[in-house]
Amino acid sequence: MEALLEEIIRDCAVYKAQGRPASYIPELAKGDVNDLGIYVVSSDGQSSRAGDWHKPFTIQSIVKPILLLMCLMDNGAAFVREKIGVEATGKPFDAINVDGGSLAAQHLNPMVNMGAIYMSTLIRGRSGGERFERLLELTRLLAGNRDIAVDENVYRSEKRTGNRNRALAYMLKTYGMIDDDVEDVLDCYFRACSIRVDCRDLANIAYCFANRGRAPITDERLFPMEYAHFVNAVLVTCGMYDGSGDFAVRVGVPAKSGVGGGIMAVAPTRMGVGIFSPGLDEKGNSLAGIKALEELSRRMYLSIF
Ligand code: DON
């Protein structure tokens, strides 16, 4: 497996410089497009890695499936389906989902920012700070890594420049969906996006979803199987935003991207994959990362379709 991963990293090197690091968050613009890493945790208990798998980056939107899982664990599936919805928006991640003067509630979706900001008010906790701490604890539990923490520079950079997210949150407030203080809600969301991980962390988290709620190695149950099905289904339809259809055809597994350059891919019952390469395509997904996943899927017959 490791030889295959080395080969994929070598073959995909040509795509690294074709993407551009996110620049709308100034701190992310410092990402090095030469980085490309992969880590795989397989159901036979083996772990394999290649390239820059150990380099840290911020989780960004890959926190959305974890936020969704926490929302499910705190409120149940019926509540999440009713309040947030699961229909694919087919829109960019920062789309303003307002239609003809009313909030397109059926288009909130847990994977776009408006839905994710809303979800960060629906998880349990007395304040944004308390909600964030619970989310961080869940992230550490799924990744099996107690050392996971926030990248304070990225957090400050997001908070300073995140005016589009501010607009989305105030829109939710306008429509009576947020009772709490908007800045407190946003603080939880910005901190969540700034959680620092590496490819191994993402692979371990992905494996929990692939293994239907059970941890790697110990097989300990961390969350109910039905929530793994729920999150995986949402990821397959919306995890790569308005690139989800193309990704389903090319790779064919539930996955989530982040503008930090990470991708978490879930091959149900088989493996969890973490990938990192900061050069993004025009939809905000890691360009070389998708190429590497496409190759891994082709070589290992991973497509669920
Ligand atoms: O909300 C934002 O702008 C970012 N913190 C997260 C967006 C993101 O990662 C989109 N993913 N491809």
Side-chain angles (χ1 to χ4, degrees), residues 199-268:
C199 290
R200 175 169 50 190
D201 295 325
L202 290 189
N204 278 328
I205 297 168
Y207 186 81
C208 297
F209 289 107
N211 199 26
R212 300 184 170 130
R214 291 183 186 273
I217 315 284
T218 63
D219 217 34
E220 182 196 349
R221 177 155 296 288
L222 303 179
F223 56 88
M225 180 166 79
E226 63 165 305
Y227 296 161
H229 289 163
F230 194 117
V231 174
N232 290 341
V234 170
L235 290 185
V236 102
T237 52
C238 337
M240 305 299 280
Y241 308 114
D242 43 338
S244 296
D246 190 51
F247 186 84
V249 170
R250 286 167 60 192
V251 183
V253 297
K256 186 75 208 79
S257 61
V259 290
I263 303 178
M264 172 188 102
V266 178

Side-chain angles (χ1 to χ4, degrees), residues 31-248:
D32 184 351
V33 289
N34 291 311
D35 288 342
L36 175 59
I38 186 166
Y39 199 101
V40 172
V41 175
S42 309
S43 52
D44 59 5
Q46 298 297 309
S47 296
S48 320
R49 75 280 297 151
D52 303 299
W53 65 271
H54 56 284
K55 293 225 176 142
F57 53 93
T58 50
I59 195 164
Q60 298 296 336
S61 285
I62 307 167
V63 80
K64 286 170 178 154
I66 305 171
L67 192 50
L68 172 58
L69 173 64
M70 178 154 268
C71 213
L72 287 163
M73 290 166 89
D74 284 354
N75 305 290
F79 176 93
V80 172
R81 285 175 65 187
E82 187 200 321
K83 294 275 181 195
I84 306 155
V86 291
E87 294 309 326
T89 68
K91 290 180 181 174
F93 66 87
D94 55 356
I96 299 193
N97 293 319
V98 173
D99 213 358
S102 68
L103 189 71
Q106 74 278 24
H107 277 169
L108 267 183
N109 189 284
M111 292 301 126
V112 293
N113 289 8
M114 210 170 193
I117 292 168
Y118 184 40
M119 278 196 300
S120 48
T121 70
L122 298 176
I123 58 176
R124 275 207 301 269
R126 279 165 303 188
S127 63
E130 205 174 295
R131 293 190 183 104
F132 170 71
E133 283 305 321
R134 291 188 63 238
L135 186 66
L136 181 62
E137 274 308 312
L138 180 61
T139 307
R140 288 172 173 157
L141 176 75
L142 298 177
N145 180 359
R146 298 288 320 151
D147 296 331
I148 290 180
V150 166
D151 182 322
E152 293 293 333
N153 289 333
V154 173
Y155 160 66
R156 279 193 293 272
S157 189
E158 290 225 25
K159 195 173 168 72
R160 202 175 55 247
T161 58
N163 289 326
R164 194 171 173 97
N165 283 325
R166 225 162 245 121
L168 294 173
Y170 277 102
M171 193 72 82
L172 289 167
K173 182 89 172 168
T174 304
Y175 284 96
M177 297 177 74
I178 294 184
D179 291 331
D180 307 351
D181 175 67
V182 172
E183 283 303 325
D184 194 44
V185 171
L186 283 166
D187 202 65
C188 174
Y189 177 74
F190 291 142
R191 277 186 191 280
C193 292
S194 308
I195 292 173
R196 197 192 300 111
V197 289
D198 64 18
C199 290
R200 175 169 50 190
D201 295 325
L202 290 189
N204 278 328
I205 297 168
Y207 186 81
C208 297
F209 289 107
N211 199 26
R212 300 184 170 130
R214 291 183 186 273
I217 315 284
T218 63
D219 217 34
E220 182 196 349
R221 177 155 296 288
L222 303 179
F223 56 88
M225 180 166 79
E226 63 165 305
Y227 296 161
H229 289 163
F230 194 117
V231 174
N232 290 341
V234 170
L235 290 185
V236 102
T237 52
C238 337
M240 305 299 280
Y241 308 114
D242 43 338
S244 296
D246 190 51
F247 186 84

